[in-house]
Amino acid sequence: MSATAERCPVGIIGGTGLTTLSGLEITGERAVETAWGTPSAPLVEGKLGEQEVVFLSRHGNPHRIPPHEVNYRANLRALYDAGVRTVVGVNAVGGIHSEMGPAHIVVPDQIIDYTWGRPSTFFEGELDEVTHIDFTWPYDAEARQILIDAARAQGTPCSDFGVYGATQGPRLETAAEIVRMERDGCDLVGMTGMPEAVLAAELGMRYVCLGLVVNWAAGKSDHIISMEEIHEAIDKGMSGVKGMLEMSMAGLGSLTPKPQSS
């Protein structure tokens, strides 16, 4: 982006454990409507450092919307209409890979979609023509590198690879399902990675996932998964997530917007 080009606000979609963002200097809050319905929560506009941001709580605030009922299309469209062209999706995930235990941070590079029945495209209805987008690389390479560099700069342990397996929810997976997912190549499991990533791609937005592991996936530990365990991991790891967001904002805001696909 040239020195004279206008910087776009960066969008942050917060998931479990990040319904609000401390350090955000709030300048406004707007309830909006889109052609695809109502977003999960009002858009919170403000600054993180010197960078303008638009924050959206994926599950609402308070946390009330289950993963399969999130209106992902309204969320992404609302951010786009607010001028956002780069989005960081913060996701609470389960760890499958042996290096990705509770409180570990991951910036994944691939995704496998196991969800079903979720509205997952803007390209439907009365179309002039069928549109297919390339989705070979679901996460923006430049945005990923900015987050990874931020983790290294602040000394936060962070994996710079990972395949995110997106499941339907709201239930957690069986041990056999995790065995299958590991065989498929998944390193992480979560419930909100899709269709969020592909909808951003359809709008021509840069999208990156910042994953916080909050529990071992089913069958990967000697005990059942508890909410107490999840909250402990969130408390331990969320400071690193917030630090990475704060340190990466200037770089993310300077990225050149991609051309719109719709």
Side-chain angles (χ1 to χ4, degrees):
M1 178 175 289
S2 68
T4 57
E6 183 178 355
R7 293 169 66 96
C8 297
V10 174
I12 302 172
I13 302 178
T16 301
L18 191 65
T19 54
T20 59
L21 189 61
S22 59
L24 176 64
E25 179 188 340
I26 298 175
T27 58
E29 183 173 317
R30 293 189 295 123
V32 300
E33 290 289 327
T34 77
W36 305 96
T38 306
S40 298
L43 301 182
V44 178
E45 299 169 325
K47 286 190 173 183
L48 202 54
E50 295 301 315
Q51 174 60 42
E52 290 188 6
V53 302
V54 181
F55 180 82
L56 175 62
S57 181
R58 184 186 290 113
H59 299 283
N61 187 16
H63 189 288
R64 59 183 175 77
I65 307 172
H68 66 295
E69 291 187 342
V70 171
N71 190 337
Y72 295 95
R73 291 191 293 190
N75 286 353
L76 270 298
R77 189 71 222 191
L79 289 173
Y80 188 92
D81 290 345
V84 169
R85 296 298 180 267
T86 298
V87 178
V88 181
V90 180
N91 298 87
V93 295
I96 300 175
H97 192 284
S98 60
E99 298 177 6
M100 300 177 185
H104 190 67
I105 294 174
V106 185
V107 181
D109 56 354
Q110 275 295 336
I111 195 164
I112 299 177
D113 188 8
Y114 299 95
T115 66
W116 49 269
R118 302 181 181 190
S120 59
T121 182
F122 292 110
F123 298 124
E124 63 181 16
E126 298 297 323
L127 301 175
D128 294 331
E129 60 181 351
V130 176
T131 302
H132 303 284
I133 65 160
D134 180 85
F135 201 52
T136 305
W137 307 107
Y139 303 118
D140 184 77
E142 291 179 272
R144 287 187 68 253
Q145 193 60 54
I146 289 169
L147 286 176
I148 292 164
D149 290 344
R152 291 171 178 165
Q154 69 180 16
T156 298
C158 174
S159 293
D160 60 0
F161 69 94
V163 177
Y164 180 128
T167 59
Q168 180 69 2
R171 68 167 178 84
L172 298 175
E173 298 72 35
T174 68
E177 287 171 331
I178 295 300
V179 169
R180 180 191 67 166
M181 293 177 70
E182 187 170 22
R183 189 168 59 242
D184 287 349
C186 295
D187 301 301
L188 305 163
V189 57
M191 302 175 188
T192 55
M194 287 290 285
E196 196 169 272
V198 73
L199 292 170
E202 287 187 349
L203 290 170
M205 303 167 86
R206 296 177 183 266
Y207 181 88
V208 62
C209 170
L210 179 54
L212 174 62
V213 181
V214 298
N215 58 272
W216 284 112
K220 288 294 179 179
S221 65
D222 58 3
H223 59 274
I224 63 172
I225 300 166
S226 69
M227 290 307 299
E228 181 180 1
E229 171 189 8
I230 290 173
H231 288 308
E232 286 178 0
I234 290 173
D235 290 342
K236 184 178 179 181
M238 193 54 71
S239 61
V241 169
K242 292 178 178 179
M244 288 174 63
L245 288 172
E246 291 170 3
M247 187 169 287
S248 63
M249 277 302 109
L252 293 172
S254 68
L255 292 174
T256 303
K258 293 182 176 181
Q260 187 182 8
S261 300
S262 65

